[in-house]
């Protein structure tokens, strides 16, 4: 039997996105948003899918919408950083990854990305991404 709870529908949309079925995932997100038009989780999943499909303008718009409702949504910062990196805006990408690291200091995927961007942009790259005060407070 299908899980018709909101959480179940979001989990299903994310599972579809990860399994390589973006169109079905988009349909699931739109079903959620027709009933719950302000559900931030669905917008986050939809933004992730748009980023995977290469629709950077739509993904950026959706990520900004997520951040306007939840300014501590670390995956949105990571997504925006990826968009800026694709566009060659390395300073902006670094800034967004630094914010993501502050919000999720335990995420092991962010520091290598940040270090790679700093090395690519020939910024002052430390051996490891330095922890900011905000990141230390969350650790």
């Amino acid at each position: 039997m299908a899980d018709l709870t909101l959480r179940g529908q979001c989990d299903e949309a994310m599972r579809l996105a990860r399994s390589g079925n973006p169109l079905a995932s988009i349909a699931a997100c739109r079903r959620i948003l027709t009933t719950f038009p302000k559900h931030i989780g669905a917008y986050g999943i939809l933004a992730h899918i748009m980023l995977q499909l290469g629709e950077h303008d739509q993904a950026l718009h959706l990520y900004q919408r997520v951040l306007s409702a939840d300014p501590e949504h670390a995956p949105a910062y990571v997504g925006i950083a990826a968009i800026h990196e694709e566009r060659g805006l390395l300073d902006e990408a670094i800034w967004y990854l630094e914010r993501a690291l502050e919000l999720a200091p335990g995420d092991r995927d962010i520091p290598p990305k940040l270090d790679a961007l700093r090395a690519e942009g020939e910024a002052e790259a430390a051996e490891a991404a330095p922890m900011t005060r905000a990141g230390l407070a969350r650790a």
Side-chain angles (χ1 to χ4, degrees), residues 9 13 16 46 72 99 104 110-111:
Q9 292 295 308
L16 289 168
L46 199 53
E72 294 190 358
R99 300 300 77 78
I110 298 172

Side-chain angles (χ1 to χ4, degrees), residues 15-139:
R15 185 190 65 74
L16 289 168
R18 288 186 180 136
S19 69
N21 195 348
L23 297 179
S25 182
I26 290 170
C29 287
R30 291 188 189 213
R31 259 193 326 271
I32 293 168
L33 291 172
T34 55
T35 307
F36 302 100
K38 294 183 180 181
H39 190 263
I40 297 304
Y43 283 111
I45 296 167
L46 199 53
H48 176 74
I49 297 164
M50 291 299 158
L51 182 61
Q52 286 180 338
L53 294 175
E55 298 290 334
H56 292 170
D57 290 335
Q58 288 181 330
L60 183 60
H61 173 73
L62 290 166
Y63 279 132
Q64 289 171 339
R65 189 173 200 159
V66 169
L67 288 177
S68 70
D70 180 10
E72 294 190 358
H73 193 268
Y77 285 101
V78 173
I80 292 173
I83 292 168
H84 286 310
E85 180 183 5
E86 284 288 320
R87 292 178 174 175
L89 304 170
L90 296 181
D91 290 338
E92 288 84 354
I94 290 169
W95 187 89
Y96 277 99
L97 278 179
E98 287 173 344
R99 300 300 77 78
L101 185 61
E102 286 177 357
L103 294 170
D107 189 336
R108 298 188 186 274
D109 295 334
I110 298 172
K113 290 178 188 177
L114 185 56
D115 292 338
L117 279 178
R118 286 182 174 154
E120 185 178 334
E122 298 177 353
E124 298 173 12
E127 290 183 18
M131 189 64 75
T132 63
R133 287 180 172 212
L136 285 172
R138 290 179 181 273

